[in-house]
């Protein structure tokens, strides 16, 4: 107990003392307590006001964020020119440039793939009831109609690089044909806009169509192209020496050195050369070859140039005739110097007719027709000969000086030749010769100083009112006509002022007469083009073709066959290919199983220039109020679906404002002043 009592007392005191103190301070505590309760109520009231304000601000931010988000999807806009809109369906034509230049690559891949992506994005902005036209350089008939959105996207996947080439005005014209009616009309041009694409001063466009040009950005690449090729001899003989001129162009800003140039004929190499070309310049090179046999020849010129390769080869074709047919029509009193001249060469196959027995139907079979001293040339003969010359034939006229002048003038008029004024009987001598004329080209190794020229005893003087199509080859004193060339259609007429009779002069026996006649005969056949360009309005020429009943011409190549449109005119057969030719190559013209001709088609060389119009240049060229130009790297296409204008869109602004108000809501929740409660 002794030990317990102090402990008990201590415990009792430890309990009693706080109670006594608490009772002693109760009155004071009560007063403080009620004072703190009043303060707490005031604090809670202030906190409640702030909480309400915070909640109102959060609610307002949330409402505004939702409103602007909805508006962003609704795509509000400011229409151009403050024009009123109408609720109509949309007709949309989208052109995808699929020319060779679109095979170039930028940072986003090939330009064609980028064009397709842009087209898909455009279509997505339109409604399900809108209709679309897909247009490419091929101008395919199956796309000359409006498609649904699903059909358009499916057709878009099939667009590939093509050798066809169209101008901007041709594209807009095709779009105008499909964009008709009361619907809202849109035209989109997606292209790299090469400088050759816009080739005119003024753009013809409709005011009720809203145009948008989407310019793809390509890198300018260096390029060397085989620009063209032609032969120096339009007439080709078996085994004869041939010369071919090739023109190359350097489209880059740097010189090109030692470009390898190769010529192949019928898959056999015929000539090789190395060519250097200055930057931006053109150079011509002549290739010589021989050893050709009779028949159609398929030639190819090739170079090696990377990375642009579509213009590194050029195909051409021509025919080597086994013989050259000459028709000689003699008058009753003429001396025949033509027969011994052409009979000496096996290549020439001469047919002689008398004036009273002429078969007009066979004129197209001859490369050269000679009229030697006709006494009674008729207007019917003149008409048939005019048709023959227009089709590319060569006609040589040596008059009978004793012919009735009135009759002869009627004949000459039918051939668009000058008329006879007088017959001169004073002997004279030819005093001028045009040695630079193609007739005398390569005849003389060097020009003689004192060239002996023909002497004439009798000759016609002519009344010449039009000399635009005339070339004087030999002239008498006073610049009078002695032997001249006149162009007519695709052929030529050679007119002599004197006859070939010995009594009228020594022209037929003069040394210059032989090369003159041979050289003018070699001018035949110049109407035949060596090749054609794909995408151009091609009309192929052929000699007159006789087609029987139930027969038709066919144009064939590897895995290709078509029946072209054929028309007959002035002794020629014209063959229209329309847009059937899509790929470069050789195409055979056949009648049943007979090969009539071989035609060559190449890619259009306008695509070789890899320089592009800038957006600034386009703006200066266009200047249309209903046309907008967009750079696909820097500009978004401001398209409003369902409206008749492409205006200033506001969806981006709405989206930005929506994000701002969402951020404001977050900040209000986390950082708005929220004081601690006091107890």
């Amino acid at each position: 107990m002794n030990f317990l009592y102090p402990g008990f007392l201590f415990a009792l005191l430890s309990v009693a003392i706080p109670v006594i103190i608490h009772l002693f301070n109760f009155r004071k505590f009560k007063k403080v307590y009620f004072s703190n309760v009043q303060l707490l109520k005031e604090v809670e009231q202030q906190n409640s006001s702030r909480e309400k304000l915070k909640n109102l601000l959060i609610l307002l931010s949330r409402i505004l964020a939702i409103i602007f988000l909805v508006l962003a999807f609704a795509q509000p806009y400011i229409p151009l020119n403050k024009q009123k809109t109408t609720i109509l369906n949309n007709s949309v034509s989208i052109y995808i440039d699929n020319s060779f230049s679109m095979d170039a690559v930028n940072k986003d891949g090939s330009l064609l793939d980028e064009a397709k992506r842009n087209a898909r994005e455009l279509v997505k902005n339109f409604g399900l009831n809108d209709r679309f036209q897909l247009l490419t350089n091929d101008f395919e008939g199956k796309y000359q109609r409006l498609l649904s959105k699903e059909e358009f996207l499916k057709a878009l996947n099939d667009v590939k690089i093509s050798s066809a080439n169209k101008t901007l005005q041709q594209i807009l014209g095709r779009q105008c044909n499909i964009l008709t009616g009361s619907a809202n009309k849109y035209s989109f041009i997606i292209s790299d806009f090469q400088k050759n694409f816009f080739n005119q001063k003024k753009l013809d466009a409709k005011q009720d169509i809203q145009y948008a040009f989407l310019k793809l950005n390509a890198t300018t690449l260096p390029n060397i192209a085989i620009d063209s090729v032609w032969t120096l001899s339009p007439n080709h003989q078996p085994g004869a020496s041939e010369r071919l001129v090739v023109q190359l162009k350097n489209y880059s800003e740097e010189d090109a050195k030692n470009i390898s140039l190769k010529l192949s004929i019928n898959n056999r190499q015929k000539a090789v050369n190395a060519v250097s070309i200055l930057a931006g310049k053109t150079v011509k090179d002549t290739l010589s070859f021989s050893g050709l046999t009779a028949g159609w020849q398929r030639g190819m010129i090739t170079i090696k140039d990377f990375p642009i390769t579509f213009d590194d080869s050029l195909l051409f074709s021509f025919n080597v005739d086994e013989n050259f047919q000459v028709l000689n029509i003699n008058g009753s009193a003429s001396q025949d110097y033509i027969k011994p001249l052409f009979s000496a060469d096996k290549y020439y196959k001469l047919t002689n007719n008398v004036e009273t027995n002429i078969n007009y139907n066979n004129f197209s079979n001859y490369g050269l027709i000679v009229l030697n001293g006709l006494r009674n040339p008729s207007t019917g003969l003149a008409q048939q000969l005019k048709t023959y010359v227009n089709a590319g034939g060569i006609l040589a006229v040596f008059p009978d000086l004793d012919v009735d002048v009135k009759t002869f003038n009627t004949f000459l008029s039918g051939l668009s030749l000058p008329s006879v004024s007088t017959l001169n009987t004073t002997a004279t001598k030819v005093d001028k010769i045009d040695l630079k004329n193609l007739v005398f080209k390569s005849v003389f190794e060097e020009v003689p100083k004192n060239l002996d020229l023909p002497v004439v005893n009798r000759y016609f003087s002519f009344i010449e009112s039009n000399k635009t199509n005339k070339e004087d080859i030999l002239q008498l004193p006073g610049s009078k006509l002695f032997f001249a060339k006149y162009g007519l259609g695709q052929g030529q007429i050679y007119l002599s002022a004197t006859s070939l009779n010995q009594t009228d002069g020594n022209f037929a026996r003069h040394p210059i007469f032989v090369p003159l006649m041979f050289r003018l005969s070699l001018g035949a056949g110049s109407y035949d083009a060596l090749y054609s360009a794909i995408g151009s309005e091609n009309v192929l020429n052929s000699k007159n073709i006789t087609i029987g009943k139930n027969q038709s011409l066919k144009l064939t190549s590897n895995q290709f066959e078509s029946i072209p449109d054929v028309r007959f005119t002035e002794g020629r057969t014209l063959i229209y290919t329309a847009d059937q030719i899509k790929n470069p190559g050789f195409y055979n013209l056949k009648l049943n199983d007979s090969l009539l001709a071989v035609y060559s088609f190449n890619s259009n060389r306008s695509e070789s220039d890899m320089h592009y119009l800038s957006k600034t240049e386009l703006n200066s060229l266009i200047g249309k109020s209903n046309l907008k130009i967009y750079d696909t790297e820097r500009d978004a296409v401001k398209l409003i679906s369902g409206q008749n204008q492409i205006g200033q869109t506001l969806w981006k602004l709405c989206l930005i404002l929506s994000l701002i108000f969402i951020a404001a809501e977050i900040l209000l929740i986390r950082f708005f002043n929220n004081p601690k409660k006091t107890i």
Side-chain angles (χ1 to χ4, degrees), residues 39-89:
L39 179 62
L40 181 61
K41 288 182 178 179
E42 291 178 359
V43 170
E44 287 179 347
Q45 188 175 3
Q46 291 178 1
N47 287 341
S48 176
S49 299
R50 291 179 181 177
E51 190 70 21
K52 288 180 179 179
L53 177 61
K54 173 183 175 181
N55 291 334
L56 286 174
L57 291 175
I58 292 174
L59 179 62
L60 181 63
S61 298
R62 187 171 299 170
I63 291 173
L64 290 174
I66 294 173
I67 289 174
F68 283 111
L69 184 62
V70 172
L71 287 175
F73 283 100
Q75 295 188 355
Y77 74 103
I78 301 174
L80 295 177
N81 301 327
K82 299 181 179 180
Q83 293 182 0
K84 295 181 179 180
T85 61
T86 56
I87 303 175
L88 296 172
N89 289 334

Side-chain angles (χ1 to χ4, degrees), residues 489-521:
Q490 298 185 51
Q492 298 97 39
I493 301 177
Y494 292 87
L495 176 63
S496 173
T498 189
S499 72
L500 297 181
N501 290 342
Q502 183 176 353
T503 57
D504 294 328
N506 68 345
F507 187 32
R509 294 175 286 110
H510 194 277
I512 206 170
F513 181 71
V514 174
L516 178 67
M517 293 303 296
F518 278 123
R519 292 296 301 180
L520 68 86
S521 68

Side-chain angles (χ1 to χ4, degrees), residues 90-126:
N90 300 302
S91 294
V92 185
S93 177
I94 301 179
Y95 163 72
I96 304 292
D97 186 355
N98 63 333
S99 60
F100 279 120
S101 66
M102 294 290 287
D103 207 18
V105 176
N106 61 14
K107 64 180 181 180
D108 297 320
S110 75
L111 295 183
L112 181 61
D113 290 338
E114 184 180 350
K116 290 182 179 181
R117 287 195 296 271
N118 278 277
R120 291 188 185 96
E121 291 301 320
L122 288 173
V123 171
K124 288 179 182 178
N125 286 328
F126 287 92

Side-chain angles (χ1 to χ4, degrees), residues 20 35 39 64 67 93 110 138 191 233 251 271 334 379 399 446 472-473 533 535 546 596 600 603 617 639:
I20 294 170
S35 177
L39 179 62
L64 290 174
I67 289 174
S93 177
S110 75
D138 296 308
S191 172
S233 175
Y251 289 96
S334 63
T379 55
E446 60 180 36
D472 281 303
I473 299 173
T546 302
L596 303 181
S600 305
S603 303
E617 289 174 320
L639 171 68

Side-chain angles (χ1 to χ4, degrees), residues 329-335 354-356 358 371-378 381 398-409 411 458 460 499 501 504:
I329 304 176
N330 293 302
S332 57
S334 63
Q335 294 179 340
V354 294
E355 182 180 1
T356 56
I358 304 174
L371 304 183
N372 182 16
L374 301 190
R375 182 60 62 92
N376 295 298
S378 65
L381 175 61
F398 297 96
D400 183 334
L401 299 182
D402 296 318
V403 70
D404 178 69
V405 173
K406 185 177 180 180
T407 301
F408 191 53
N409 279 340
F411 173 78
R458 292 197 307 164
F460 280 139
S499 72
N501 290 342
D504 294 328

Side-chain angles (χ1 to χ4, degrees), residues 164-179:
N165 182 267
K166 297 292 186 296
T167 65
L168 178 57
Q169 189 57 62
Q170 289 175 314
I171 299 298
L172 297 184
R174 184 58 69 98
Q175 289 184 325
C176 286
N177 293 336
I178 200 72
L179 296 177

Side-chain angles (χ1 to χ4, degrees), residues 180-389:
T180 58
S182 59
N184 300 316
K185 307 175 186 68
Y186 296 95
S187 162
F188 292 95
I189 307 294
I190 308 177
S191 172
D192 54 5
F193 288 93
Q194 278 184 283
K195 289 190 174 181
N196 64 77
F197 189 45
F198 192 93
N199 60 354
Q200 59 194 71
K201 294 182 180 179
K202 184 179 180 181
L203 186 66
D204 185 16
K206 289 186 176 181
Q207 290 299 319
D208 63 339
I209 298 177
Q210 188 63 35
Y211 296 92
F213 290 177
L214 278 66
K215 175 175 167 44
L216 306 176
N217 292 286
T219 304
T220 300
L221 298 173
N223 186 33
I224 309 262
I226 303 177
D227 185 72
S228 54
V229 61
W230 64 92
T231 179
L232 294 178
S233 175
N235 182 276
H236 310 283
Q237 303 180 31
S241 177
E242 301 276 354
R243 289 190 299 169
L244 199 71
V245 180
V246 181
Q247 179 169 291
L248 296 94
K249 187 167 184 178
N250 184 357
Y251 289 96
S252 62
E253 282 71 38
E254 296 182 359
D255 297 345
K257 297 181 179 180
N258 298 322
I259 301 297
S260 177
L261 180 65
K262 183 172 72 172
L263 166 66
S264 299
I265 304 289
N266 299 326
N267 295 323
R268 294 184 180 181
Q269 183 173 304
K270 289 292 184 179
V272 178
N273 205 351
V275 181
S276 297
I277 317 172
L278 297 177
K281 299 296 182 180
T282 299
V283 68
K284 299 181 182 67
D285 190 41
T286 302
L287 302 175
S288 299
F289 60 98
S290 60
L292 300 180
T293 58
W296 282 94
Q297 314 296 314
R298 297 167 175 84
M300 181 169 64
I301 300 288
T302 56
I303 61 172
K304 291 184 178 180
D305 172 55
F306 295 98
I308 308 300
T309 59
F310 75 88
D311 51 12
D312 288 354
S313 63
L314 192 144
L315 307 176
F316 62 95
S317 56
F318 60 92
N319 188 36
V320 175
D321 292 314
E322 188 172 353
N323 53 57
F324 185 88
Q325 297 198 53
V326 178
L327 175 62
N328 180 32
I329 304 176
N330 293 302
S332 57
S334 63
Q335 294 179 340
D336 192 0
Y337 288 93
I338 301 300
K339 183 177 180 179
L341 174 66
F342 287 108
S343 297
D345 192 329
K346 294 182 179 179
Y347 174 65
Y348 293 95
K349 185 177 181 181
L350 181 67
T351 300
N352 283 286
N353 278 170
V354 294
E355 182 180 1
T356 56
N357 186 21
I358 304 174
N359 186 356
Y360 297 157
N361 296 327
N362 294 331
F363 279 2
S364 61
N365 296 331
Y366 299 99
L368 171 65
I369 296 178
V370 180
L371 304 183
N372 182 16
L374 301 190
R375 182 60 62 92
N376 295 298
S378 65
T379 55
L381 175 61
Q383 185 61 40
Q384 294 297 323
L385 289 172
K386 187 174 184 178
T387 299
Y388 162 78
V389 175

